[in-house]
């Protein structure tokens, strides 16, 4: 669950960037590049050294938050509290297995839940599906024996919705308008042609939510 304070990026005057940027494969790297969103997976750092522990999550609630909310600030990795992570954009966060926060992104989270229910055949249930129930499904889909789980394409690449992400070899790609854009910490590069070995990074239940109408926020470089 998100704290009532939402973090800013680490200090631009720091000598070395902290290891707190999440890739589409769910790995956490150090890079000076900023992202559009923050979020967390629970407490996975040592506040004394501001370094990550061996574990990469301590809760199945992997969320995506706003970098600025109500003017609140908190120093990054400075407390024995949730570990502040950062994402290039929402498509990256989705690919890694995160979902919108119901506190600082309540409207987005409600839209995501409605699309998730519709896309995953849960819209006929009288009560709204809980965040905990969505987290349980996502946790099964994002990890395979502790590593990022890849999935076969449910349809041809050209038919995947904007915001889906796929993996080919060591590279991650964003799908936009039926084409693949190479991901990097700085943004997206030119189109690339994928081969048959490419696999889906975005968890299937999240992909179905996107197909049901949720529009993930994309980094400006995705517009070319």
């Amino acid at each position: 669950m998100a704290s009532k304070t939402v973090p800013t990026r680490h200090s631009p005057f720091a000598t070395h960037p902290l290891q707190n940027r999440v890739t589409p494969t769910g790995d956490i790297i150090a890079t000076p590049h900023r992202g559009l969103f923050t979020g967390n997976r629970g407490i996975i750092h040592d506040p004394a050294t501001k370094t990550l522990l061996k574990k990469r999550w301590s809760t199945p609630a992997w969320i995506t938050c706003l970098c600025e909310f109500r003017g609140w600030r908190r120093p990054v990795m400075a407390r024995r509290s949730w570990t502040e992570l950062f994402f290039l954009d929402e498509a990256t966060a989705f690919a890694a297995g995160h979902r919108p926060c119901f506190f600082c992104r309540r409207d987005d989270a409600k839209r995501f839940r409605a699309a998730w229910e519709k896309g995953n055949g849960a819209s006929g249930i009288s009560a709204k599906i809980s965040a905990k129930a969505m987290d349980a499904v996502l946790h099964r889909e994002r990890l395979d024996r502790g590593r990022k789980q890849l999935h076969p394409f449910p349809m041809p690449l050209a038919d995947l919705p904007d915001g889906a992400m796929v993996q080919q070899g060591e590279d991650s790609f964003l799908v936009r308008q039926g084409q693949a854009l190479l991901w990097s910490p700085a943004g997206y590069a030119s189109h690339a042609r994928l081969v048959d070995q490419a696999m889906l990074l975005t968890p299937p239940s999240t992909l179905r939510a996107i197909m049901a109408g949720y529009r993930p926020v994309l980094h400006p470089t995705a517009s070319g």
Side-chain angles (χ1 to χ4, degrees), residues 137-158:
V137 174
L138 286 169
H139 208 58
R140 291 194 297 269
E141 294 179 338
R142 62 193 168 212
L143 295 174
D144 179 15
R145 291 184 288 255
R147 298 179 63 85
K148 183 68 172 75
Q149 184 173 176
L150 301 177
H151 305 271
F153 285 6
M155 61 193 71
L157 171 68

Side-chain angles (χ1 to χ4, degrees), residues 5-195:
T5 55
V6 177
T8 58
R9 186 69 167 139
H10 60 265
S11 169
F13 301 106
T15 303
H16 301 289
L18 298 176
Q19 186 181 356
N20 57 11
R21 180 69 171 274
V22 180
T23 72
T25 57
D27 295 321
I28 307 175
I29 63 174
T31 175
H33 299 291
R34 293 173 177 263
L36 300 183
F37 291 93
T38 185
N40 76 89
R41 305 172 179 178
I43 303 171
I44 57 173
H45 75 285
D46 178 357
T49 60
K50 293 191 176 184
T51 58
L52 295 183
L53 305 175
K54 289 184 178 180
K55 61 184 179 181
R56 289 295 179 263
W57 57 274
S58 64
T59 172
W62 295 19
I63 61 176
T64 311
C65 302
L66 297 175
C67 286
E68 296 183 10
F69 183 64
R70 296 181 181 176
W72 291 331
R73 297 288 186 274
R74 58 184 271 154
V76 176
M77 288 190 181
R79 316 176 184 180
R80 184 65 181 167
S81 180
W82 49 272
T83 302
E84 301 88 349
L85 303 174
F86 296 87
F87 309 87
L88 176 70
D89 59 7
E90 193 170 24
T92 302
F94 277 159
H98 290 244
R99 60 161 175 82
C101 171
F102 272 92
F103 180 72
C104 66
R105 300 184 63 204
R106 185 166 183 79
D107 289 343
D108 289 339
K110 289 169 67 175
R111 282 192 289 270
F112 177 77
R113 177 169 62 187
W116 198 96
E117 290 175 335
K118 180 180 179 182
N120 290 281
S123 57
I125 301 174
S126 57
K128 296 291 185 182
I129 192 167
S130 67
K132 184 177 181 180
M134 288 191 291
D135 290 336
V137 174
L138 286 169
H139 208 58
R140 291 194 297 269
E141 294 179 338
R142 62 193 168 212
L143 295 174
D144 179 15
R145 291 184 288 255
R147 298 179 63 85
K148 183 68 172 75
Q149 184 173 176
L150 301 177
H151 305 271
F153 285 6
M155 61 193 71
L157 171 68
D159 295 332
L160 288 173
D162 288 4
M165 295 202 72
V166 302
Q167 186 76 8
Q168 180 174 286
E170 298 297 316
D171 295 324
S172 302
F173 298 86
L174 171 75
V175 176
R176 187 174 184 276
Q177 298 180 351
Q179 297 181 312
L181 301 178
L182 178 64
W183 182 95
S184 78
Y188 298 103
S190 58
H191 302 163
R193 181 176 179 82
L194 300 186
V195 296

